[in-house]
Amino acid sequence: MDAISKTLLWLKHYRAWKSFAQHSGDRIRELMQELNLSPSPGAVRYDKVPGGKGSGDSVEEKHLERQQDTRALIDDLKARSRTARESTTLIELAISSLAPADKELITHRAIDGMTWTATAIRCGCGESYCRRRCKIIIKELAFILFPEQ
């Protein structure tokens, strides 16, 4: 994927990433609280029920497996949240380096998802100018975000 396509993709997903980064902390806290829960001592059994059929796991074993799964989910959420936060910060920094008119144009078109007509009205210029200028801005952002490509 070239830098321009990657930049367009990043701008398209910016709002979702920003929302995820803002709200993932709540989900991580909920999962941490869930980890602190433990089965009540009366419900825990360490071996099979006498006379029971089959070989079922004890409640404690099931609880430990759930804890391991929850810890893995927390670690995954933390990593994805960190990546989303870093990506949105990079996008924000790249956009902040643009001229004010270019910031407005790229924000309305790429991030807010406005139509070309609505973007042109908001920016106070013609639709064809917005289209041409947007291509130039995307190239600038691609160079800022992905200089190695």
Side-chain angles (χ1 to χ4, degrees), residues 32-91:
M32 294 295 282
Q33 288 174 348
E34 197 176 297
L35 271 180
N36 294 331
L37 299 176
S38 59
S40 63
V44 176
R45 66 172 196 266
Y46 297 95
D47 55 1
K48 299 176 195 168
V49 177
K53 297 178 182 168
S55 59
D57 292 336
S58 69
V59 173
E60 183 179 71
E61 289 172 319
K62 289 178 183 176
H63 175 71
L64 290 174
E65 288 174 4
R66 274 194 310 275
Q67 278 188 329
Q68 289 174 344
D69 293 344
T70 304
R71 283 192 184 98
L73 181 59
I74 289 170
D75 292 342
D76 181 52
L77 275 174
K78 284 181 179 178
R80 289 185 359 208
S81 178
R82 185 175 31 259
T83 301
R85 208 171 295 112
E86 290 168 358
S87 299
T88 55
T89 302
L90 284 173
I91 293 169

Side-chain angles (χ1 to χ4, degrees), residues 16-27:
W17 290 347
K18 188 76 172 177
S19 177
F20 175 76
Q22 289 174 342
H23 299 293
S24 61
D26 296 337
R27 180 68 179 135

Side-chain angles (χ1 to χ4, degrees), residues 90-145:
L90 284 173
I91 293 169
E92 290 164 359
L93 288 172
I95 290 175
S96 70
S97 71
L98 299 172
D102 292 347
K103 282 184 210 177
E104 184 181 15
L105 193 147
I106 201 69
T107 300
H108 290 317
R109 177 62 188 160
I111 294 175
D112 296 340
M114 290 184 171
T115 64
W116 286 112
T117 306
T119 302
I121 291 169
R122 284 281 180 103
C123 293
C125 54
E127 193 176 318
S128 61
Y129 173 79
C130 283
R131 288 176 189 265
R132 286 192 311 272
R133 190 68 197 143
C134 194
K135 287 179 184 178
I136 294 167
I137 295 168
I138 296 293
K139 287 179 185 176
E140 289 175 15
L141 289 175
F143 181 74
I144 293 168
L145 291 171

